[in-house]
Amino acid sequence: MRSGFNPNKDQLVPPSKYLHQVVVPVHIPHQTDYFKDSLSILQYCLDSLTATVQPFTLITVVNNGSCEAVVQELNRRQEAGTVHEIIHTTAIGKVNALLKGLVGHQTPLVTLTDADVLFQPGWQEETIDLFEKVGRIGAVGLIPQMNLFRVDGFSLVWEHLFSTRLRFAQLPDVAAGERFYDSIGWNRDYNPNHLQYNLLYTENGKSMWVGSGHVVTTFRRDVFRELQQSVPHQLGGDSEWYLEEKPYQFHYHKVTTQSNYAFHMGNVKESWMEVPPPMPKTATRTHIALSAAAPKINRLVYFWRYRFWRRIIMNTPLLFRWCILRKGLPKSVIDTW
């Protein structure tokens, strides 16, 4: 039976004090073999995250079928107040875990990050600065990576092929790039020029690399206004692309900070991994000044621009050579690019 009137009925959800959500999916089913160092890696990740964000940040961790030691660690952090939300699920897959963490909040920005990312001071400030000062940015990554413009940054190539705003430049921290590819298990037999040069976009005094990866990326929340119920893969397949293509559906750009603001640790603990000192929690920000939300573009336009022309320009040798030559890549490295 029911007695009385529920006082919450027809009441609006009160405004949130948070402006930026960070969602961390965690899958550590045991602590042996591949996962033997994973709990330590997770601790580095969460410690570095809490050390480098301001109080307007909501931290959500989705436990995607992890072992009891991880459950206890996450619950301890929530009790201490360093993690705000813990969602415990069975092993439903990385992207499905991200989808669970995404819903229920209205922060203007949301960061989706792997649980093996070591955040560096200043990442949040630089990310917000890019969103506020550069028009039509839909996603900002923190780890510069080679050749992202060929797959994940074509919107800027398409629009600024004849503009001086878009030029090749040298990366300031090649060692950080090498460390990233070491962390994902690559041998160093890739073309070294790909770590020396990348495509740089400049607007309103801000410079950024074209494209962004999926290890850690901050999105405008409005790109997730339409979400499907679930994806079929635990990891990989086309599940990552389901989230990665969202900005293009609304005609936004994807970029990466010019400096390296995070490190990917992988699954093995190493001596170089250190949590940065906690930053002063002094921010008094009450809003993030984003441009107005863009409407979803026509599927035919999306296919024509982001599928058809990207493949034509990036996969046709003569066209691609002309493109990178026009954008200022030194002739000395073009032949081996």
Side-chain angles (χ1 to χ4, degrees):
M1 62 175 286
R2 177 187 296 162
S3 176
F5 183 81
N6 190 325
N8 293 312
K9 186 174 182 180
D10 299 327
Q11 299 298 309
L12 296 176
V13 176
S16 173
K17 66 179 180 180
Y18 299 111
L19 302 175
H20 182 188
Q21 183 188 16
V22 181
V23 183
V24 189
V26 179
H27 177 66
I28 307 175
H30 51 77
Q31 291 184 273
T32 58
D33 303 323
Y34 180 89
F35 298 99
K36 63 183 178 64
D37 289 343
S38 293
L39 181 54
S40 295
I41 297 293
L42 173 63
Q43 291 168 336
Y44 277 127
C45 173
L46 295 179
D47 286 344
S48 68
L49 176 59
T50 56
T52 56
V53 297
Q54 293 297 324
F56 55 75
T57 311
L58 172 71
I59 299 176
T60 300
V61 179
V62 185
N63 167 30
N64 175 29
S66 297
C67 63
E68 183 60 27
V70 175
V71 172
Q72 293 179 8
E73 173 69 15
L74 295 179
N75 288 340
R76 179 187 67 79
R77 289 176 181 267
Q78 186 178 33
E79 291 172 4
T82 57
V83 170
H84 305 98
E85 279 190 329
I86 305 291
I87 302 171
H88 294 293
T89 76
T90 55
I92 58 174
K94 174 185 173 182
V95 173
N96 290 324
L98 287 170
L99 293 176
K100 278 188 175 290
L102 272 171
V103 298
H105 296 286
Q106 296 299 323
T107 58
L109 299 178
V110 56
T111 298
L112 308 183
T113 178
D114 289 356
D116 55 357
V117 169
L118 189 68
F119 291 87
Q120 298 300 293
W123 77 269
Q124 188 177 47
E125 291 75 12
E126 178 65 10
T127 297
I128 294 174
D129 203 35
L130 285 174
F131 275 107
E132 290 190 322
K133 291 183 178 177
V134 183
R136 290 191 27 238
I137 284 186
V140 175
L142 301 179
I143 305 175
Q145 297 167 45
M146 62 175 75
N147 270 330
L148 280 176
F149 69 92
R150 297 193 72 168
V151 177
D152 216 30
F154 186 69
S155 63
L156 281 168
V157 176
W158 173 270
E159 292 186 17
H160 296 278
L161 187 58
F162 300 97
S163 168
T164 56
R165 288 183 181 182
L166 192 67
R167 302 289 292 176
F168 274 95
Q170 288 190 287
L171 275 79
D173 193 349
V174 173
E178 291 175 338
R179 178 168 287 172
F180 172 75
Y181 289 101
D182 290 346
S183 75
I184 60 174
W186 284 27
N187 297 319
R188 293 192 181 183
D189 54 1
Y190 44 77
N191 187 333
N193 289 323
H194 291 173
L195 281 184
Q196 292 283 344
Y197 297 93
N198 214 330
L199 199 55
L200 192 73
Y201 177 68
T202 302
E203 183 179 323
N204 288 339
K206 301 294 294 186
S207 294
M208 64 222 78
W209 304 111
V210 175
S212 64
H214 64 260
V215 174
V216 52
T217 306
T218 300
F219 297 85
R220 293 177 58 121
R221 183 176 290 276
D222 63 88
V223 306
F224 299 121
R225 68 189 77 164
E226 297 176 6
L227 291 174
Q228 66 186 53
Q229 296 251 338
S230 65
V231 297
H233 292 90
Q234 285 271 357
L235 189 68
D238 61 357
S239 61
E240 303 279 5
W241 183 244
Y242 169 70
L243 296 176
E244 291 301 312
E245 72 170 345
K246 284 292 183 181
Y248 296 138
Q249 295 176 355
F250 299 92
H251 202 35
Y252 291 133
H253 302 310
K254 299 179 67 177
V255 300
T256 295
T257 54
Q258 188 174 14
S259 297
N260 193 94
Y261 279 103
F263 292 99
H264 180 252
M265 294 180 282
N267 65 319
V268 178
K269 184 179 177 180
E270 297 181 75
S271 59
W272 61 266
M273 298 173 183
E274 292 184 359
V275 175
M279 296 178 62
K281 309 300 183 183
T282 57
T284 57
R285 178 184 287 273
T286 59
H287 75 287
I288 296 175
L290 299 181
S291 59
K296 191 172 184 178
I297 63 175
N298 181 279
R299 288 180 62 86
L300 182 60
V301 173
Y302 173 83
F303 176 83
W304 179 253
R305 177 176 296 187
Y306 298 118
R307 297 292 181 90
F308 178 79
W309 275 111
R310 180 183 64 79
R311 290 173 182 172
I312 293 294
I313 293 177
M314 295 301 170
N315 296 333
T316 303
L318 285 177
L319 273 177
F320 179 68
R321 180 183 175 89
W322 171 81
C323 178
I324 60 178
L325 180 64
R326 180 169 187 83
K327 292 290 99 183
L329 188 66
K331 292 183 179 179
S332 59
V333 303
I334 286 179
D335 288 337
T336 59
W337 191 262

